Every structure is written in structure tokens, then in C-alpha cells.
Amino acid sequence: HPLLVVFDMACTTVSDNSDVARCLTQARRTAGYYCDDALANTRMGMAKPIAIAELAALSLERGVGRAVTPSLVSEIHRDFLHAINEHYRTHPSVRAAEGAAEIFAALRHRGIKVALDTGFSRPTVDIILARLGWSVPATLDAVVTSDEVPHGRPAADLFLEAMRRCGVTDSRQCAHVGDTPSDIGEGRAAAVGWNIAIAGPSHTREQLDPLRPTHLVSALTAVPAVLGLSLHT
């Protein structure tokens, strides 16, 4: 089994009903760009300022929007943060994905380090952790956010920082679990031994399979079996 398992947050360990894509779409439309949830979904998992800049460029290709500048990206990101932070702070639908807390506890009981990494920045993550009652070191060994590393997904920086914080040195003895193409890219860039993708709700099996994760499952609850573990032993 692995020495460390790093999980994505939204749509992987934190339930998401297209909430992130909706907030991103809302912020971009306010700034005068074309966007819908399906287009926003193509950039899920990435550091949000990068996602915003790439989506703005796609909108310009359709002839909608202004020139993309750092100040414009900051403006849209600020609106996005207001919307997503308010959602995670107050919305009744915010909850852990099925099995998440139990899986964390079972892995740690076996001496396996457990970390979260995410395209969110630290202020948003702290709201989510407080809402779910998760913390370091009580529930998790590390949580790494996109604003704490030089490059977000699909680069390896988030994963490598999680390894550093957990005192693990060989990525081949580690696993990454996520639900987006950028998650799979991160796992590949970090050369992890288990690069596990969860099909749905953000991306279908048909969208993820061509990216060749080492394992493709239909739910978070299937992950322990992929790692050769049973939650009931």
C-alpha cells in the first residue's frame, strides 16, 4: 500500500453540485465574458486565476469580452472568491463526499499519511475545513492550496509540497485521487504509483479514460480497494 494518499477537494472529498463552475461562470459573466458551466468545467481543478485567464481567452476567440489583463483576472477572481466563499460558509448542501472521513481515518489507522490538495486558495480552503470539521493534524496530515506553490495543476508542485510536509520522498510510493483532467496531469507529473481518477460528477468515464490514469473508479468509496485495503479489517 502507499505511504501517502493525496486527495483533491471539490467533487472528490467535498460534495459539489457544479457549485464551483457556477460561481466561476457567474463571476465571468459579470465581467462581460461568455461562459457557461460546461466550459467552466473544463478548467476545474486548476488554480482559479489561471482558469479565469484561460476561459477569458476562449471567450475572446468567440468575440466576447475585453483584453485579458492581470487586473481584469484579479477583478474576476475577487468576484469568484466572494461567491464561492459565501457558498461554502452558508449553503446547506455543503458536506463531505460519501465515505471521505471514514477513508481518511482508515488510511491513517494503517500508518498511511493523508493530505488534501486543491485549486482553491487558502482562505476558501479554511472555510471548507471549518465547515466540515477537518483539520491538521486531527483529521489530516497536510493540506496544500494553490496559492502556496509556484505552479498549480497540472504541474506537480501541489503534490510535491504535500510529500514534503508529510516527510515522504518517493512519489512512486504515493497515490493521488481526483476527478478532473488536471488532477490526472498532476499525478502524472509527480510520477505517482497510483494515479486514481473518479468518473462523475464533474467528468465522465469517456472524458477521463483517454488520459490514462492508473485506475478509474466510479466513487470515492472504491479507492481503498484500489489501494489494496479493506475498510472493515
Side-chain angles (χ1 to χ4, degrees), residues 9-10 17 39 45 50 57 60-61 68 91 95-96 116 179 185 221 224:
M9 293 187 71
N17 186 29
L39 183 60
I50 302 298
L60 284 176
E61 288 177 11
V68 183
H91 201 279
R95 64 187 187 279
L116 300 179
D179 65 290
T221 49

Side-chain angles (χ1 to χ4, degrees), residues 160-207:
L160 298 177
E161 178 61 16
M163 288 176 59
R164 188 190 68 78
R165 294 186 191 182
C166 292
V168 176
T169 57
D170 185 356
S171 65
R172 294 168 298 180
Q173 293 183 283
C174 300
H176 189 265
V177 183
D179 65 290
T180 65
S182 62
D183 283 306
I184 297 172
E186 176 193 350
R188 182 179 298 112
V192 299
W194 295 261
N195 195 6
I196 304 168
I198 301 175
S202 75
H203 290 78
T204 64
R205 184 170 288 269
E206 290 72 26
Q207 288 172 314

Side-chain angles (χ1 to χ4, degrees), residues 53-219:
E54 290 192 3
L55 289 167
L58 289 174
S59 181
L60 284 176
E61 288 177 11
R62 296 170 178 245
V64 180
R66 300 170 269 162
V68 183
T69 64
S71 63
L72 188 68
V73 170
S74 294
E75 172 193 324
I76 297 172
H77 189 232
R78 190 165 54 247
D79 287 347
F80 165 76
L81 286 177
H82 176 77
I84 198 66
N85 289 354
E86 190 64 16
H87 168 79
Y88 282 127
R89 192 179 287 115
T90 65
H91 201 279
S93 70
V94 176
R95 64 187 187 279
E98 182 187 352
E102 294 82 0
I103 291 169
F104 297 164
L107 292 174
R108 297 180 88 207
H109 180 70
R110 289 162 174 78
I112 300 169
K113 302 279 190 181
V114 175
L116 300 179
D117 71 355
T118 176
F120 289 137
S121 54
R122 176 55 65 176
T124 303
V125 168
D126 284 346
I127 292 168
I128 298 169
L129 295 177
R131 185 80 189 271
L132 299 181
W134 295 350
S135 64
V136 177
T139 324
L140 301 151
D141 295 289
V143 179
V144 187
T145 65
S146 65
D147 55 339
E148 295 173 340
V149 295
H151 304 100
R153 298 175 183 140
D157 299 32
L158 284 164
F159 197 91
L160 298 177
E161 178 61 16
M163 288 176 59
R164 188 190 68 78
R165 294 186 191 182
C166 292
V168 176
T169 57
D170 185 356
S171 65
R172 294 168 298 180
Q173 293 183 283
C174 300
H176 189 265
V177 183
D179 65 290
T180 65
S182 62
D183 283 306
I184 297 172
E186 176 193 350
R188 182 179 298 112
V192 299
W194 295 261
N195 195 6
I196 304 168
I198 301 175
S202 75
H203 290 78
T204 64
R205 184 170 288 269
E206 290 72 26
Q207 288 172 314
L208 296 176
D209 191 47
L211 304 175
R212 303 197 348 237
T214 61
H215 301 82
L216 184 55
V217 299
S218 57

